[in-house]
Amino acid sequence: MKIWFDMDGTIANLYGVENWLDKLMNEDATPYAEAKPLIRMATLARMLNRLQREGYEIGIVTWLSKGATVQYQEAVAKAKREWLEIHLRSVRFDHIDILEYGVPKQIGRDGILFDDEERNRKAWGDGAYDVDNIIEILKAL
Ligand SMILES: [Mg+2]
């Protein structure tokens, strides 16, 4: 079984960074680095390490910025990887899939998805959850 996490709006508070949208439009990748965690990372890391030991694969599936140039896509991907290194340092992700904006997340993936965007959850079908109660849902696995 695989467990996937979106980043922006799910574990990383990108939309809480001041002027995040203007910055993204100006191809400034700093909001991705500055985003604060949305849940307690120490708790999440502990749960993910436990689940991995029990046989679950842990993955990130996240989109790049809308309409980004190749250069900006690279900067955003780097910022996202660094964010994971900083905030979830103890987690060895089985998958880190950083996709172009809008690429369907369900293609080639299955299991559980945590994602703040309703269209992604709908497309995923069974096993897709919103961002409330992430820890409680993981605890029940
Ligand atoms: Mg999101």
Side-chain angles (χ1 to χ4, degrees), residues 2-73:
K2 293 175 183 163
I3 306 171
W4 299 91
F5 292 85
D6 169 50
M7 290 182 72
D8 308 324
T10 298
I11 57 171
N13 193 9
L14 174 69
Y15 313 121
V17 175
E18 204 172 342
N19 298 322
W20 69 272
L21 186 54
D22 286 342
K23 288 177 177 170
L24 267 51
M25 304 283 263
N26 287 310
E27 307 229 315
D28 172 356
T30 60
Y32 291 101
E34 289 167 6
K36 299 264 193 293
L38 277 166
I39 49 180
R40 276 208 69 212
M41 291 287 119
T43 308
L44 180 63
R46 199 169 60 236
M47 308 230 54
L48 296 183
N49 284 316
R50 171 181 67 80
L51 289 162
Q52 230 172 8
R53 281 196 302 273
E54 292 174 3
Y56 286 89
E57 287 181 34
I58 310 296
I60 292 290
V61 56
T62 183
W63 285 342
L64 293 164
S65 275
K66 205 174 189 171
T69 61
V70 171
Q71 194 180 19
Y72 188 50
Q73 288 186 358

